[in-house]
Amino acid sequence: MSNGSGKGKEQWGSQLGVIMAVAGSAVGLGNFLRFPGQAAQNGGGAFMLPYFAALIFLGIPMCWAEWTMGRYGGIKGFNSAPGIFLAIWPHKLARYFGALALLIPLVIYMYYVLIEAWCLGYAYDYLVGNFDKIEPTVAAYSNHFNEFVGNNANGFLYEGGNNSLITMLLIVFILNFTLIYRGISRGIEKFCNVAMPIMALCAICVLIRVLTLGTPDPAKPENNLINGLGSMWNPNTEYLWKPDTWLAAAGQIFFSISAGFGIIINYASYLKKKDDVALSSLTACGVNEFFEVCLGGLITLPAAFIFLGTSATLMGTFGLGFNALPNVFAMMPAGRLFGFIWFFMLFLAAITSSLSMLQPVIAFFEEGLGLRRHASVTFLGLVAALGTGFVLYFSKGMVALDTFDFWVGTFLIYVLAMFQTVLYGWIFGIERGEEELHAGAHIRVPRVLQYVLKYVSPIYLFAIFGAFCYQSLGGRVKSILDDSVTSAATLFILVVFAFLLLLTHIAGRRWEREGRLPSR
Amino acid sequence: MTTAGWAIMIVSVGSVLVLAAFCLVRVLTLPPAEVSEHFKAPLDIDTGDTRNAD
């Protein structure tokens, strides 16, 4: 295996391997915790209409576009977004947009690895029986959660005696970087091939438990399984006339499938010229939807409703996952076992996602700066540890985490996704796009998809982004000016971005010198 | 749970199951990848020693 520059090039070991890796990247906490909450708060079953519309017109087409551009860039000898964008659009601006595709996974990793450590910590607590000591009320679990994540004071987790989260964090950090160091085929692919079936098995175990709960408390006959399913699926059609419902549905699809993260484009670049992208992309989307609709939609909210009633439908992602569900497991027969299975599954879902956030940056350090694997892993480890340490220190009210999540994990993802959609539809071109998509394809994608990608997806995306900015931007800008932690977190993001822009500039000069860039 | 709720749940879960199952079956039943592109047939290899023979 070799690339144009003569260096050994990494490749996926099998087609199923790359599908599992991309699906693993997409399946995360959002599938099990965010999706049910969004559905319940936006019309229940009625939410599924805008949800599937967004999947068909935004999610699946964007994934096809990213897979196609990623493989194309890989054939041209690039695995990092700055290089791939340059291969498609030989303009200096392209590589700086590529820096966005490095910033997004890197900064998301900085706080996502922390949430991963929460899941591992909860799984461990269930395993050794620590949760048996907590009074089974939402308030008690909320107190435990606040103490565990340092929600009450900044710097709390750095004080002596509060280091259980730091221990978990060290474990997941080491695990992530060990797997990344082993590379695409021997690290990420092997791990995802094992982790994805285990995740599905764990989720099915919990699903069977939930679907056989019946009416656990005879004193509250209304809190039963059928009503629990109703809390998730009964449609309230009034919500279909609210723009917020359509915005929430598109946002859920968009974040769930990992489009615009800079990850799919990197993973697809390790494919060979004749490897299929059309079926692989659709399969990864299908697997992600299976975890979200079939498992997340049937487990989380019905289980919470059966034990906690209608109040469960109003909880946010973290409230539902880390306060309500432990309370549910405490009241459920064999709850300790199912609590362990549930949080271990969430931990696996999180680690398959966090691995995918490291690889795009590693690829850039190696091909852009010429670093060898051990140097690039060490360098990335230091940068990531700095950001995670920042979020860990400013833990009060999760302000730093929330700021990172809003500006990078939401706002910039929209920006990158819009750029990629325009890049595919208007620069790469739908004629070339269709030809590339079908090279080695095992399914035929209708031609109308190309027109969807050129016209419908960008308009859909720009409309959602406009509504999102109108709804959220004012308050967020104000909080930067008013709150010192928010402004420090925003400054941190800007410094990391400036650093990546500089590195991208250096990489571009290097590629020019080596004659690797296509002529304009 | 209302009738509409049942219908939406069954259609949503069913359609996702069909999509995922169709794709996975197609992927898992594909013929093994060809490895011939990595090798050259003996007649394609130009060893240079047949030029100007005789």
Side-chain angles (χ1 to χ4, degrees):
Chain A
M1 290 186 294
S2 65
N3 65 5
S5 61
K7 291 176 187 168
K9 186 187 171 183
E10 286 198 280
Q11 284 179 344
W12 295 102
S14 69
Q15 192 180 2
L16 189 64
V18 61
I19 291 167
M20 286 298 126
V22 173
S25 156
V27 176
L29 271 64
N31 297 58
F32 297 102
L33 303 179
R34 192 175 184 270
F35 166 71
Q38 288 287 314
Q41 289 161 24
N42 290 286
F47 179 77
M48 299 313 288
L49 180 67
Y51 178 85
F52 281 119
L55 178 67
I56 292 165
F57 293 110
L58 199 62
I60 293 174
M62 280 186 61
C63 281
W64 266 323
E66 282 203 36
W67 277 75
T68 305
M69 291 193 292
R71 189 188 56 178
Y72 177 85
I75 294 165
K76 299 286 175 190
F78 291 104
N79 298 118
S80 67
I84 294 169
F85 290 169
L86 272 172
I88 293 167
W89 183 32
H91 189 284
K92 278 186 178 172
L93 266 181
R95 65 184 179 214
Y96 300 117
F97 274 104
L100 265 187
L102 303 176
L103 178 78
I104 290 170
L106 176 60
V107 173
I108 293 178
Y109 178 84
M110 289 170 180
Y111 64 84
Y112 199 82
V113 73
L114 211 54
I115 301 169
E116 198 174 309
W118 299 352
C119 296
L120 183 64
Y122 269 53
Y124 174 77
D125 281 342
Y126 273 108
L127 190 68
V128 299
N130 286 345
F131 277 131
D132 294 345
K133 300 165 197 162
I134 298 175
E135 188 193 349
T137 62
V138 173
Y141 282 105
S142 178
N143 283 340
H144 170 80
F145 176 70
N146 289 338
E147 198 165 305
F148 182 61
V149 305
N151 204 9
N152 297 323
N154 288 332
F156 177 75
L157 295 165
Y158 288 93
E159 292 170 13
N162 308 320
N163 50 12
S164 62
L165 179 59
I166 294 182
T167 309
M168 294 300 156
L169 186 62
L170 279 176
I171 293 169
V172 295
F173 235 88
I174 291 168
L175 191 56
N176 270 292
F177 278 88
T178 306
L179 289 168
I180 277 294
Y181 182 78
R182 289 173 63 84
I184 284 285
S185 175
R186 291 194 314 130
I188 297 172
E189 183 176 348
K190 271 193 175 169
F191 183 78
C192 289
N193 277 345
V194 175
M196 290 298 284
I198 294 176
M199 270 165 62
L201 203 64
C202 289
I204 289 168
C205 280
V206 179
L207 176 66
I208 292 169
R209 172 70 279 193
V210 170
L211 294 182
T212 52
L213 279 170
T215 310
D217 186 357
K220 293 179 184 168
E222 71 282 4
N223 287 1
N224 57 42
L225 172 70
I226 301 300
N227 285 347
L229 289 170
S231 71
M232 170 76 202
W233 295 98
N234 280 345
N236 184 346
T237 47
E238 285 175 18
Y239 279 85
L240 287 176
W241 305 106
K242 294 182 180 179
D244 285 2
T245 306
W246 292 80
L247 180 64
Q252 178 59 32
I253 279 293
F254 188 59
F255 296 116
S256 176
I257 57 165
S258 295
F261 279 58
I263 292 169
I264 295 176
I265 210 162
N266 166 252
Y267 272 10
S269 72
Y270 297 103
L271 290 169
K272 294 191 285 284
K273 191 176 181 179
K274 290 287 174 65
D275 281 343
D276 163 272
V277 292
L279 179 61
S280 302
S281 170
L282 191 64
T283 310
C285 284
V287 171
N288 178 60
E289 288 308 302
F290 168 73
F291 276 95
E292 186 153 294
V293 177
C294 303
L295 299 175
L298 294 179
I299 295 174
T300 318
L301 212 57
F305 180 89
I306 290 169
F307 291 99
L308 306 175
T310 47
S311 62
T313 59
L314 304 172
M315 290 183 167
T317 304
F318 292 155
L320 191 61
F322 295 94
N323 301 338
L325 285 180
N327 195 16
V328 167
F329 291 125
M331 293 188 275
M332 182 188 280
R336 185 174 151 189
L337 171 69
F338 286 101
F340 168 74
I341 292 174
W342 176 257
F343 282 103
F344 181 67
M345 182 209 62
L346 287 186
F347 165 68
L348 289 178
I351 196 167
T352 50
S353 302
S354 64
L355 280 176
S356 67
M357 295 165 196
L358 294 173
Q359 185 57 34
V361 194
I362 289 280
F364 171 72
F365 286 169
E366 288 181 355
E367 75 179 16
L369 307 178
L371 297 182
R372 296 175 76 87
R373 176 53 61 103
H374 59 271
S376 59
V377 169
T378 310
F379 187 33
L380 179 61
L382 285 172
V383 177
L386 197 67
T388 306
F390 181 91
V391 179
L392 198 64
Y393 183 83
F394 292 107
S395 57
K396 187 181 176 185
M398 296 183 202
V399 174
L401 189 154
D402 184 56
T403 307
F404 279 21
D405 185 48
F406 177 81
W407 287 108
V408 180
T410 311
F411 181 82
L412 287 182
I413 285 179
Y414 275 122
V415 175
L416 182 62
M418 287 188 297
F419 170 75
Q420 286 187 167
T421 319
V422 172
L423 185 69
Y424 181 89
W426 297 88
I427 297 172
F428 192 59
I430 58 172
E431 297 297 332
R432 183 159 56 148
E434 188 177 30
E435 193 183 319
E436 287 291 332
L437 175 63
H438 286 107
H442 294 300
I443 54 168
R444 186 85 203 159
V445 178
R447 182 160 174 78
V448 70
L449 178 272
Q450 299 300 332
Y451 295 104
V452 169
L453 269 167
K454 186 165 183 172
Y455 301 107
V456 181
S457 298
I459 293 169
Y460 206 140
L461 209 48
F462 275 90
I464 296 166
F465 183 64
F468 165 77
C469 289
Y470 176 74
Q471 215 174 47
S472 317
L473 223 51
R476 287 290 176 164
V477 172
K478 189 173 178 299
S479 68
I480 293 176
L481 302 172
D482 294 347
D483 182 68
S484 58
V485 176
T486 309
S487 49
T490 312
L491 186 67
F492 186 93
I493 295 167
L494 289 173
V495 170
V496 176
F497 189 39
F499 178 62
L500 288 172
L501 280 174
L502 179 69
L503 294 184
T504 312
H505 179 77
I506 293 168
R509 298 283 295 270
R510 188 166 182 264
W511 291 330
E512 274 171 12
R513 276 200 310 275
E514 291 173 357
R516 291 181 67 188
L517 298 182
S519 55
R520 297 176 65 177
Chain B
M1 180 122 148
T2 62
T3 312
W6 279 110
I8 291 171
M9 185 181 86
I10 291 167
V11 170
S12 301
V13 172
S15 50
V16 168
L17 276 176
V18 167
L19 172 71
F22 165 78
C23 292
L24 282 171
V25 167
R26 284 293 301 265
V27 169
L28 294 172
T29 53
L30 288 173
E34 288 177 24
V35 292
S36 56
E37 66 185 68
H38 299 299
F39 303 102
K40 287 200 171 220
L43 289 175
D44 292 340
I45 300 170
D46 179 11
T47 58
D49 58 359
T50 52
R51 287 183 205 134
N52 303 321
D54 300 331

